[in-house]
Structures are given as C-alpha cells and as structure tokens.
C-alpha cells in the first residue's frame, strides 16, 4: 500500500478527554484499532420510522438509475448495491437522528467542540450480490483535511457475514490516507490482510460501527436469498474541514459547510439548534 499523494505529514492524534460518552478503554481502542462497536443505540421504533422514510428515496434513486443510466452509475448497481446520498434533505427522521444526543456526545469525544455533518447516505445491499465492496478508507474517496473525520455505519437491518457486515482492518488508520485505485466496484486501497488481521463487525439493527475516515474497511457479498442489508451511513467532520481537489499542480479547497446538508451538530461543545427545513 502506498500513501496518498496529498498525505505528507500526517500524525494520528490520540483522544484524551474529558469524555461525555466514551470510557478510557473505548478511547484507547479507537486510537489503536480505529473503530468501536455500539450495541442497541436506537430502538426498533426509531429504526423502522427511518426505514419508512429512506425506502422510497432509495426506490426513486434505483428507478432513475435503471431508466437513465443503464442500471449503473459510479458505485451504484441497481439490483445489487445502491448508495443514496444526502437523505437529510428529504427525511426529517434522518435529520433528527444525525442530531441525536448519542451522536452529539460521540462527536464531542472523537472530533471536538465544533462539528458538522459531512455526509450521509443509505447503502442497501440486495440479496444475491456476489461482489464485495472493496477495501478502502473513506478519506480515499474525497480527500478531506483534516484527514481524521468520523464514519458511523448504523445497521437498519441485522448485518452479519452472510449479508455483508463491515470488516475493518485495525491499525492502518494511524498513517493517514493511502492511495486508492479506481475499480469497477469502487475505490480500492490495495489492502491484502491475513485472516487474523481483519475483524468482521456484525451488528444488529439499531447498533452501529463507528470508525475513522482512515480505517480501511470493506463489506462482503450478500449471499442471502431474501434479506436486503440496509445501512445508514453518517459522517461527521470538524467545523472548518475542506475537501481538496487536485488538478495537475492546482489544489482547490472546498469548505464542507453546505447550509442545507452539512449543518452544525455541535457549536462550542453545545448541540446546535436545527434551523433547517427538512
Ligand atoms: O455498506 C456497504 O456495503 C459499503 C459502504 C461503505 O463502505 C462506504 O460507503 O464507505
């Protein structure tokens, strides 16, 4: 694996507290392994209400991709795996969950006092999808600075090794962003771990895996006959984060502060009020 061309001087910053949600052991695990699992964060009612709002948005996206793009656009392949971004623009429940007390406390502990929503998307992996979603770091897709932001992979249905739960590769986050190759299935950072190194993180509906934007992860096939694996992915970044776009020697910096969907979660350590319209 090679370093990303913009990743020159990265140093992982350990988390020292004071913490609102984590204990010292969880903070140490996050620093050493790059991920944490939180069981049963949201109850069934909350998850069902979210699915009810996300399903039609996902259906619209899949239909549009079938009708206008021959069933495939970038990493979405209809009938196999769909990525439905920016659901907070259409789903009040999604918006509410991104601002829940759990996430306010978690982002305080892992990102600091001033934090925004960076990205959100539903990812549905359909039964019979044989392909994996390849090893990557989230910061390998769009290169964000600071490189250390947070992804929360919230299971909407039970996720296990049969239907494509996340599998993470601990340790590599500490060196910053790796170079990624574009493949037909998605970006690939070229990780080739032994069975001992990679850790599968099965999670029940309502539970979540929180990992760094720098933690290599993949998901396996969905080999079930009838279980759609549904997840809602929520990413948070420190206020002031920017996406860097490189063209030749030119670097453009794009602030991650779109008013409608990259709204503040914490301001000065306090939950931000929602003045949005969703
Ligand atoms: O949920 C999946 O199957 C893959 C999603 C993922 O790893 C991502 O969006 O970064």
């Amino acid at each position: 694996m090679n370093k990303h061309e913009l990743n020159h001087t990265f140093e992982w910053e350990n988390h020292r507290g004071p913490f609102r949600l984590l204990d010292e052991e969880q903070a140490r695990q996050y620093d050493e392994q790059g991920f944490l699992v939180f069981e049963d964060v949201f109850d069934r009612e909350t998850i069902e209400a979210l699915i009810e709002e996300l399903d039609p948005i996902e259906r619209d996206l899949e239909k549009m991709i079938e009708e206008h793009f021959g069933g495939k656009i970038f990493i979405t392949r209809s009938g196999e795996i769909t990525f439905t971004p920016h659901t907070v623009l259409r789903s009040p429940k999604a918006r509410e969950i991104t601002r829940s007390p759990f996430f306010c406390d978690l982002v305080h502990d892992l990102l600091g006092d001033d934090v925004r929503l960076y990205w959100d998307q539903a990812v549905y992996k359909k039964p019979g999808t044989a392909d994996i979603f390849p090893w990557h770091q989230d910061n390998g897709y769009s290169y964000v600075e600071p490189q250390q932001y947070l992804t929360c992979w919230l299971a909407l249905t039970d996720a296990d090794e049969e239907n494509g739960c996340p599998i993470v590769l601990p340790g590599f986050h500490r060196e910053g962003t790796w170079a990624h190759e574009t493949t037909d299935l998605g970006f690939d950072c070229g990780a080739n771990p032994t069975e001992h190194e990679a850790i599968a993180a099965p999670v029940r509906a309502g539970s979540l895996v929180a990992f760094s934007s720098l933690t290599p992860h993949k998901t396996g096939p969905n080999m079930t006959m009838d279980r759609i694996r549904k997840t809602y992915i929520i990413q948070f970044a420190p206020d002031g984060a920017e996406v860097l776009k490189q063209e030749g020697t030119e670097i453009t910096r794009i602030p991650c502060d779109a008013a409608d969907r990259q709204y503040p979660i914490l301001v000065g350590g306090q939950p931000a009020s929602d003045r949005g319209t969703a």
Side-chain angles (χ1 to χ4, degrees):
M1 286 161 69
N2 299 311
K3 293 267 174 76
H4 190 287
E5 58 185 338
L6 296 174
N7 173 19
H8 305 297
T9 55
F10 180 77
E11 282 188 32
W12 178 266
E13 279 175 39
N14 284 336
H15 296 83
R16 300 195 193 289
F19 299 119
R20 292 180 182 171
L21 179 82
L22 302 186
D23 58 32
E24 294 292 334
E25 175 54 28
Q26 287 172 311
R28 195 185 56 75
Q29 189 199 323
Y30 187 78
D31 288 333
E32 283 179 10
Q33 301 205 311
F35 80 103
L36 290 167
V37 173
F38 295 94
E39 302 280 5
D40 303 325
V41 175
F42 296 101
D43 61 21
R44 184 201 289 232
E45 212 175 53
T46 304
I47 295 297
E48 281 175 1
L50 179 59
I51 290 177
E52 208 170 295
E53 292 187 357
L54 296 184
D55 276 1
I57 305 177
E58 192 268 351
R59 265 198 307 275
D60 285 355
L61 174 102
E62 191 164 54
K63 188 162 171 284
M64 186 265 292
I65 286 170
E66 276 164 12
E67 289 176 358
H68 301 289
F69 296 91
K72 183 172 190 309
I73 184 167
F74 189 36
I75 50 180
T76 287
R77 307 189 305 277
S78 81
E80 294 190 65
I81 185 167
T82 58
F83 293 78
T84 311
H86 311 323
T87 68
V88 290
L89 296 176
R90 288 175 63 187
S91 164
K93 197 72 197 169
R95 203 169 174 104
E96 184 188 319
I97 284 177
T98 61
R99 310 168 64 93
S100 61
F102 174 86
F103 286 127
C104 287
D105 287 350
L106 183 65
V107 301
H108 166 268
D109 290 355
L110 294 178
L111 297 173
D113 278 347
D114 295 281
V115 176
R116 284 177 181 267
L117 184 69
Y118 164 58
W119 189 269
D120 77 294
Q121 61 186 9
V123 185
Y124 285 13
K125 194 173 268 200
K126 312 285 167 96
T129 299
D131 287 316
I132 64 160
F133 189 67
W135 283 112
H136 67 284
Q137 296 165 301
D138 289 339
N139 210 42
Y141 273 80
S142 290
Y143 188 91
V144 173
E145 271 183 6
Q147 296 179 47
Q148 236 170 310
Y149 67 87
L150 177 70
T151 293
C152 295
W153 197 101
L154 170 61
L156 304 182
T157 54
D158 295 348
D160 51 37
E161 286 190 81
E162 204 194 349
N163 70 357
C165 69
I167 302 173
V168 298
L169 189 54
F172 287 85
H173 59 289
R174 298 189 64 95
E175 294 179 58
T177 310
W178 299 91
H180 288 63
E181 270 183 20
T182 312
T183 76
D184 207 37
L185 300 177
F187 286 14
D188 191 329
C189 65
N192 190 13
T194 65
E195 256 176 53
H196 308 292
E197 289 175 307
I199 299 179
V203 268
R204 281 189 297 274
S207 301
L208 65 92
V209 190
F211 47 85
S212 166
S213 54
L214 298 172
T215 304
H217 59 285
K218 69 170 184 178
T219 58
N222 182 349
M223 298 315 286
T224 66
M225 305 289 285
D226 53 6
R227 286 200 292 141
I228 305 181
R229 196 233 56 203
K230 300 181 182 181
T231 182
Y232 182 48
I233 293 178
I234 312 164
Q235 296 177 320
F236 302 95
D239 186 35
E242 296 173 321
V243 172
L244 272 60
K245 297 256 182 238
Q246 186 166 23
E247 271 182 44
T249 54
E250 278 290 284
I251 296 180
T252 312
R253 291 177 171 267
I254 304 157
C256 303
D257 62 358
D260 52 354
R261 62 178 178 80
Q262 293 180 316
Y263 43 81
I265 300 293
L266 277 190
V267 177
Q270 296 307 313
S273 59
D274 188 0
R275 294 189 205 92
T277 51

